[in-house]
């Protein structure tokens, strides 16, 4: 059985009989000049759910039933679901288009995560958060913000990708991200530890 939470010293309770597969995209993410038609596959008996707004797919997300056509910058995220199983890894693909003003002579880096991982008042690592106190002096105020928090509990899942100068995907991996730095965390643009 598989479990979402460890229970050292206690009974395991009910678990899951397996973990679903990671969906597979038949078109490699990258930079394109023409419309892309994307097919998504998963293991037999699994239902694929997907999003195009960077959110993490869940049991309420649209079910994938036919190819997705794209002609403008789009992030597709997909996950497989099956009764009695835990959701496996999310597949993320960033599709950029020259017709949508993507025409770079340098490599392009993409970092995709659920918007709540960044902006949610309770859990967003880029947000001020509910405990932020702007009435304090600057150095003390930033110490009350979510973005100043540190530790494993403030790491969020993301997908990191790199496209080369020719628009071809050179690298893509699921990673963890957290806010980098010390006093610089209070600046409008914050760095990430990946």
């Amino acid at each position: 059985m598989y479990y979402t939470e460890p229970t050292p010293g206690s009974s395991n309770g009910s678990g899951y009989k397996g973990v679903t597969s990671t969906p597979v995209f038949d078109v490699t993410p990258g930079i394109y000049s023409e419309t892309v038609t994307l097919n998504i596959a998963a293991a037999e008996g699994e239902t694929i759910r997907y999003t195009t707004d960077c959110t993490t797919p869940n049991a309420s997300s649209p079910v994938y039933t036919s190819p997705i056509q794209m002609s403008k910058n789009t992030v597709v995220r997909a996950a497989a679901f099956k009764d009695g199983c835990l959701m496996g890894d999310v597949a993320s693909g960033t599709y950029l288009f020259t017709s949508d003003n993507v025409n770079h002579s340098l490599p392009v880096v993409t970092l995709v995560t659920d918007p709540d991982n960044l902006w949610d008042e309770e859990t967003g690592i880029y947000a001020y958060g509910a405990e932020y106190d702007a009435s304090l002096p600057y150095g003390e105020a930033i110490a009350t913000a979510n973005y100043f928090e540190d530790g494993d509990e403030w790491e969020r899942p993301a997908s990191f990708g790199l496209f080369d100068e020719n628009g071809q995907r050179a690298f893509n991996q699921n990673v963890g991200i957290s806010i980098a730095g010390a006093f610089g965390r209070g600046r409008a643009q914050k760095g990430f530890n990946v």
Side-chain angles (χ1 to χ4, degrees), residues 48-51 53 55-64 77 81:
I48 300 169
R49 293 184 179 270
Y50 73 99
T51 63
D53 62 0
T55 57
T56 304
N58 60 42
S60 301
S61 299
V63 174
Y64 171 79
R77 303 189 79 199
F81 294 81

Side-chain angles (χ1 to χ4, degrees), residues 146-168:
N146 284 8
Y147 56 72
F148 201 75
E149 296 291 342
D150 208 358
D152 291 343
E153 66 274 11
W154 287 94
E155 182 177 286
R156 301 293 178 258
S159 176
F160 179 85
L162 173 67
F163 302 131
D164 66 19
E165 298 86 353
N166 300 315
Q168 302 297 309

Side-chain angles (χ1 to χ4, degrees), residues 23-67:
V24 176
F25 298 165
D26 75 336
V27 177
T28 303
I31 300 173
Y32 292 90
S33 58
E34 297 179 357
T35 299
V36 168
T37 301
L38 174 67
N39 292 288
I40 307 172
E44 189 175 334
E46 296 178 346
T47 299
I48 300 169
R49 293 184 179 270
Y50 73 99
T51 63
T52 57
D53 62 0
C54 292
T55 57
T56 304
N58 60 42
S60 301
S61 299
V63 174
Y64 171 79
T65 57
S66 61

Side-chain angles (χ1 to χ4, degrees), residues 5-23:
E5 299 284 332
T7 55
S10 300
S11 66
N12 289 329
S14 60
Y16 298 88
K17 61 183 175 186
V19 178
T20 60
S21 66
T22 303

Side-chain angles (χ1 to χ4, degrees), residues 81-155:
F81 294 81
K82 185 175 181 179
D83 286 342
C85 291
L86 284 171
M87 182 183 87
D89 287 338
V90 174
S92 299
T94 302
Y95 297 87
L96 303 174
F97 294 87
T98 55
S99 61
D100 216 3
N101 296 319
V102 177
N103 192 9
H104 301 287
S105 58
L106 295 173
V108 174
V109 171
T110 62
L111 190 63
V112 177
T113 190
D114 193 303
D116 283 348
N117 288 335
L118 299 178
W119 308 114
D120 181 78
E121 283 297 306
E122 294 296 320
T123 61
I125 62 174
Y126 220 88
Y128 284 106
E131 302 298 318
Y132 180 71
D133 187 351
S135 68
L136 295 172
Y138 177 74
E140 294 175 35
I142 66 169
T144 64
N146 284 8
Y147 56 72
F148 201 75
E149 296 291 342
D150 208 358
D152 291 343
E153 66 274 11
W154 287 94
E155 182 177 286

Side-chain angles (χ1 to χ4, degrees), residues 173-194:
Q173 182 174 336
N174 287 334
V175 297
I177 58 171
S178 59
I179 300 296
F183 197 70
R185 291 171 181 238
R187 296 188 179 128
Q189 291 185 345
K190 302 163 190 16
F192 287 107
N193 292 318
V194 179

